[in-house]
């Protein structure tokens, strides 16, 4: 008989909100160290609507991700904050209501 504790673990989806700074969106994947990344290390990406969207940082506190964004603005003046819950990217409205 299956143990209910292990079943609960399997069904326990990640509900923690994680903030990231999106710095770039391009139509094809960039190579590591590409000039478009302007020397920034620890860059991640996700694919949305056929675009490769590059992000920096991964924070659970909004204040901390604001600081990450501030440090990136010299190189990426259009950088902005996005949020995820598990694998799902939140809408701007969802993110704003969660940080109020």
């Amino acid at each position: 008989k299956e143990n209910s504790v292990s079943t609960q673990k399997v069904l326990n989806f990640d509900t923690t909100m994680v903030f990231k700074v999106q710095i770039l969106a391009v139509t094809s994947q960039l190579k590591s160290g590409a000039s478009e990344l302007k020397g920034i290390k620890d860059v991640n990406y996700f694919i949305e609507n056929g675009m490769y969207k590059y992000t920096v940082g991964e924070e659970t506190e909004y204040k901390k991700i604001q600081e990450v964004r501030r440090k990136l603005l010299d190189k990426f003046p259009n950088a902005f904050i996005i949020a995820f819950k598990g694998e799902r990217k939140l809408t701007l409205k969802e993110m704003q209501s969660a940080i109020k």
Side-chain angles (χ1 to χ4, degrees):
K1 187 172 167 145
E2 193 172 344
N3 181 333
S4 63
V5 173
S6 65
T7 302
Q8 284 177 334
K9 273 187 177 175
V10 170
L11 297 175
N12 183 16
F13 297 111
D14 183 10
T15 57
T16 303
M17 187 179 303
V18 175
F19 299 103
K20 301 179 180 198
V21 179
Q22 184 173 319
I23 58 170
L24 194 62
V26 292
T27 55
S28 56
Q29 187 174 356
L30 298 174
K31 289 186 167 79
S32 181
S35 62
E36 293 90 340
L37 300 175
K38 302 179 184 180
I40 301 293
K41 304 284 184 219
D42 300 322
V43 176
N44 294 301
Y45 72 89
F46 64 99
I47 302 170
E48 182 180 53
N49 300 325
M51 299 288 288
Y52 289 80
K53 298 189 175 183
Y54 287 82
T55 64
V56 177
E58 193 166 297
E59 299 288 348
T60 55
E61 291 179 43
Y62 191 71
K63 252 186 180 158
K64 287 184 179 178
I65 204 65
Q66 285 178 307
E67 182 62 21
V68 172
R69 177 181 173 267
R70 192 185 63 72
K71 289 177 181 174
L72 290 164
L73 286 176
D74 283 348
K75 291 184 179 186
F76 298 96
N78 296 323
F80 59 95
I81 297 170
I82 58 173
F84 287 85
K85 260 193 181 173
E87 295 293 311
R88 187 174 77 84
K89 182 182 170 197
L90 301 182
T91 65
L92 182 59
K93 190 173 184 178
E94 288 171 319
M95 182 178 82
Q96 288 173 333
S97 66
I99 57 178
K100 284 185 179 172

